[in-house]
Amino acid sequence: METLSELLEELESTGDDEATIEIAAEAMAQGETPREGLLRLLEHSLPSIRRAVTLALGRRSDDEARPHLEARLEDASAEVRSAACMALAEL
């Protein structure tokens, strides 16, 4: 299992500091595994969070995330849809 610090390193590489901080805070508050937290946050109301999470899931090369990433191809935000394309390409 990936540690929270490893997850944060992945998120930091997206360059979205606000998303990284918010995701970390939510994951710690929920007591979830990083994967559970990421999958839950794909439904976050802020597009910047959904984008960062989508990219992080792609970097993890977790093929079980594929259906969740494919669902982001229909996201209301163009940035999230673009991130989903990039993340799927990394799987």
Side-chain angles (χ1 to χ4, degrees), residues 32-83:
E32 299 173 322
T33 65
R35 181 175 190 229
E36 291 168 338
L38 285 174
L39 293 176
R40 182 178 56 79
L41 288 170
L42 281 174
E43 302 300 325
H44 198 280
S45 62
L46 292 175
S48 62
I49 299 293
R50 294 193 310 274
R51 178 188 163 278
V53 169
T54 298
L55 292 171
L57 283 168
R59 281 188 198 87
R60 295 182 71 192
S61 299
D62 181 354
D63 201 51
E64 291 182 30
R66 181 177 300 280
H68 303 281
L69 295 173
E70 289 172 345
R72 292 298 99 205
L73 293 171
E74 303 296 325
D75 197 277
S77 166
E79 289 180 355
V80 176
R81 292 191 305 268
S82 176

